[in-house]
Amino acid sequence: MAQVNSALVCPERLWHQGRLMSEAVRVRFAPSPTGLLHIGGARTALFNWLYARAKGGSFILRIEDTDAARNTPEAVAIIFDGLRWLGLDWDEGPMPDGSTRGERGPYFQSQRGEIYHRYIGRLLEEGKAYEEDGAVKFRTPKTPCTVPDLICGEVSFDRTMDPDLVIRRKNGAPVFHLVNVVDDLEMGVTHVIRGEDHLSNTPKHLALFEAFGATPPHYAHIPLILNANGSKMSKRDEGASIGEYMTGGYLPSAVRNYLCLLGWSPKDNREILPIEEVVAKFDLPQIKRSNARFDLNKLFWVNGEYWKGLSDGDYLTFARQLMADHGQHLTGTDPEYVDKALRLIREKIKIGRDVPEWMAPFLTEAFPYDEAAVTKVLKTQGARERLEAIRQALAGLPDWTAESCERAIQALAGSLGVKTAALVHPCRLGVSGQPVGPSLYHMLEVMGRERVLARLDRTLAHTEWFGT
RNA sequence: GACCCUAUGGUCUAGCGGUUAGGACACCUCCCUUUCACGGAGGUAGCCCGGGUUCGAUUCCCGGUAGGGUCGCCA
């Protein structure tokens, strides 16, 4: 099958061999504004960006907005936001502020109509395309072809039975294959790094480049990202949109790190790597050729690793933002108290979306009680007496620190002849409504004596919980 | 259906003609502990199947199977 018969090799291959190694790398990410940034698209963007940064080349953003119905400023903004969130800066293309960078624009396909029609006209003039039923069809070469792919190797296609390709619809609109090739040609793209779903389309693209008498770019088809069950990840699937990670409290560096690990590996058994190191090590030939399933568990773990590495200041800033996003407005609340509480719950948190949940008991006196815990801890023999004893011990403390609280409760356990746990659990439930949480004694210290005693009193007031 | 790509524990991967097949996530056990986590120490689990080539295949070749992709006047 894999003949190396020169007669079967596209002339395009010769151009590759003639390219200079010093040629400046130009890669592009060409999303269509669908209203979300797909995780697979984000990975494609990431790999293009990595390659550009690794080779000192340019990363171009081109918006494939030929489908007018989906072409809204909001949809384009979602692409901008997603790329910027991931830290993937582009050297050419439309910028979020409305300006444009780069000399090879316009970078919106919707503004490039004249260019496409000029190329179609050329094909028509040279007899390489013809009109049929109002559409324009490109005469595809009926010869075998080998696609030289930087990741997949030499991939051969028959092409002898390929039908001619519509390049301009009856309604006058040029099709994807045509515009994609023309844009890559006009923008001087040197490496097309895209999903493997385009591998089978590449012979058509090569034919178009040849018809234009142009040098085709190098191709690198990267494996696809599949769902956990191995099916194709579509827009509708859970976790398919970058937006979900942005609002879910994931750290962008963590998502980016995880995405790097899908199809690429540093080969030294490390999982957590600064992006600079990935850039330094990244290259196309070492990319895996098989598809990968998206593993939310692992992303969660990676996120936890990054979470731990956050500086105190960054953590507080991030956490406050998450609380605000969650509707926890802190006006009127002592900012120092909030910061202390945030620092205390940090150890409980692996992902941003947990911040509001763990913070809730600190922020409201009307906190709900965990019913199962109430039944288990408070509706038991002697619970009321123990809780009252705790209140009394805490009320009489000369000073209020985690250490003094701990000493008091342990001393009480000793005098009552019960395990410390028999006091800790009711106390935790009494001041937070929760069976779990951060270190109890530190929580008491942060909450302060006044708040703690008031909460214990309110808990004690629920007489229906305590057998009399 | 045709064509193309792929195939290491459940998942992501390293490796590779001769290895006790390495790491990570997840899972299980134990330790730590006021809870849940974290952390620490262990553990279960893998080279898709069948033929070749070879002294020797997880590794190379062929076939099968499975998964994915492409076959639009979608992008």
Side-chain angles (χ1 to χ4, degrees):
Chain A
M1 276 306 173
Q3 293 111 325
V4 191
N5 185 334
S6 63
L8 298 180
V9 172
C10 297
E12 290 92 326
R13 282 199 57 208
L14 302 175
W15 288 318
H16 291 314
Q17 289 157 9
R19 280 177 183 272
L20 294 169
M21 291 306 288
S22 59
E23 174 185 59
V25 164
R26 291 174 62 78
V27 294
R28 45 70 167 179
F29 176 52
S32 108
T34 59
L36 58 76
L37 180 56
H38 191 267
I39 194 87
R43 208 267 302 247
T44 301
L46 171 62
F47 279 20
N48 273 282
W49 179 88
L50 284 170
Y51 193 65
R53 295 297 168 257
K55 301 294 179 187
S58 298
F59 179 48
I60 305 165
L61 176 63
R62 181 172 80 220
I63 306 295
E64 306 221 334
D65 58 347
T66 49
D67 185 343
R70 296 190 295 196
N71 177 23
T72 65
E74 292 75 25
V76 175
I78 284 168
I79 293 169
F80 291 157
D81 293 347
L83 291 178
R84 292 211 294 185
W85 186 71
L86 286 169
L88 308 181
D89 55 314
W90 54 101
D91 308 297
E92 292 181 29
M95 305 308 286
D97 66 3
S99 66
T100 298
R101 281 173 63 176
E103 306 300 318
R104 315 286 278 258
Y107 294 91
F108 284 98
Q109 286 187 335
S110 58
Q111 298 169 13
R112 301 174 62 81
E114 280 180 41
I115 301 170
Y116 305 137
H117 291 301
R118 198 167 70 231
Y119 275 81
I120 292 169
R122 253 178 66 189
L123 255 19
L124 247 14
E125 278 170 31
E126 295 168 11
K128 292 171 180 170
Y130 58 93
E131 286 197 49
E132 184 181 287
D133 295 331
V136 174
K137 285 184 156 185
F138 171 62
R139 295 184 205 279
T140 56
K142 307 296 185 280
T143 53
C145 162
T146 297
V147 175
D149 190 279
L150 264 14
I151 296 170
C152 302
E154 312 245 306
V155 185
S156 299
F157 293 87
D158 182 7
R159 275 205 320 197
T160 53
M161 304 297 280
D162 282 7
D164 285 344
L165 179 72
V166 170
I167 53 175
R168 195 186 73 196
R169 299 185 186 88
K170 189 190 277 185
N171 69 8
V175 305
F176 164 75
H177 300 292
L178 187 278
V179 301
N180 196 264
V181 164
V182 169
D183 287 345
D184 285 343
L185 193 168
E186 285 271 312
M187 293 182 182
V189 169
T190 59
H191 295 71
V192 171
I193 304 169
R194 67 200 343 183
E196 195 204 82
D197 49 340
H198 286 298
L199 183 55
S200 300
N201 290 148
T202 309
K204 294 173 196 155
H205 299 179
L206 249 17
L208 250 7
F209 275 104
E210 184 183 11
F212 292 131
T215 306
H218 297 286
Y219 287 97
H221 288 91
I222 62 180
L224 270 20
I225 298 180
L226 272 29
N227 280 316
N229 63 16
S231 63
K232 183 184 182 182
M233 188 177 264
S234 68
K235 295 176 175 70
R236 299 256 173 213
D237 287 316
E238 174 104 34
S241 165
I242 285 294
E244 293 179 47
Y245 304 98
M246 294 169 71
T247 56
Y250 283 82
L251 261 8
S253 48
V255 174
R256 187 176 58 193
N257 191 144
Y258 174 71
L259 252 19
C260 287
L261 264 20
L262 248 29
W264 178 87
S265 154
K267 304 195 191 299
D268 61 2
N269 283 343
R270 287 185 312 144
E271 317 282 328
I272 307 297
L273 318 88
I275 195 68
E276 295 75 21
E277 204 168 324
V278 179
V279 167
K281 290 186 172 180
F282 190 84
D283 207 350
L284 263 11
Q286 13 162 320
I287 290 176
K288 249 213 146 192
R289 291 147 126 239
S290 53
N291 295 342
R293 300 184 187 202
F294 193 80
D295 185 359
L296 202 54
N297 258 325
K298 182 129 183 187
L299 203 209
F300 192 76
W301 172 79
V302 171
N303 191 254
E305 294 300 300
Y306 275 85
W307 183 264
K308 283 183 236 168
L310 229 42
S311 73
D312 182 65
D314 287 347
Y315 162 68
L316 292 177
T317 304
F318 187 47
R320 283 197 211 94
Q321 183 59 49
L322 284 157
M323 291 169 70
D325 292 346
H326 197 257
Q328 287 179 329
H329 299 298
L330 303 172
T331 44
T333 309
D334 177 14
E336 212 172 303
Y337 170 64
V338 172
D339 285 357
K340 278 183 185 169
L342 281 172
R343 288 196 178 96
L344 182 62
I345 64 164
R346 178 168 179 173
E347 61 172 21
K348 312 303 302 173
I349 296 168
K350 287 178 83 175
I351 187 160
R353 60 167 181 254
D354 289 344
V355 168
E357 187 184 325
W358 286 107
M359 274 303 284
F362 288 91
L363 301 175
T364 174
E365 297 309 302
F367 56 84
Y369 288 83
D370 183 280
E371 277 187 47
V374 166
T375 302
K376 190 180 171 194
V377 175
L378 297 185
K379 294 182 178 178
T380 57
Q381 191 67 35
R384 175 177 204 95
E385 290 68 28
R386 290 201 303 275
L387 205 51
E388 280 171 343
I390 292 167
R391 191 217 182 277
Q392 193 175 351
L394 294 176
L397 280 177
D399 59 342
W400 187 262
T401 64
E403 292 70 30
S404 64
C405 290
E406 179 169 7
R407 275 196 304 274
I409 286 179
Q410 282 177 348
L412 182 60
S415 65
L416 256 37
V418 298
K419 288 183 177 176
T420 310
L423 300 180
V424 165
H425 295 310
C427 185
R428 177 188 297 289
L429 194 53
V431 300
S432 73
Q434 295 299 311
V436 297
S439 160
L440 173 68
Y441 309 121
H442 292 90
M443 184 160 73
L444 295 177
E445 177 182 307
V446 168
M447 285 179 169
R449 179 171 359 220
E450 197 181 329
R451 185 183 275 107
V452 165
L453 296 182
R455 288 180 172 202
L456 288 177
D457 286 340
R458 269 200 305 283
T459 301
L460 253 1
H462 285 271
T463 51
E464 75 277 12
W465 290 344
F466 304 96
T468 45

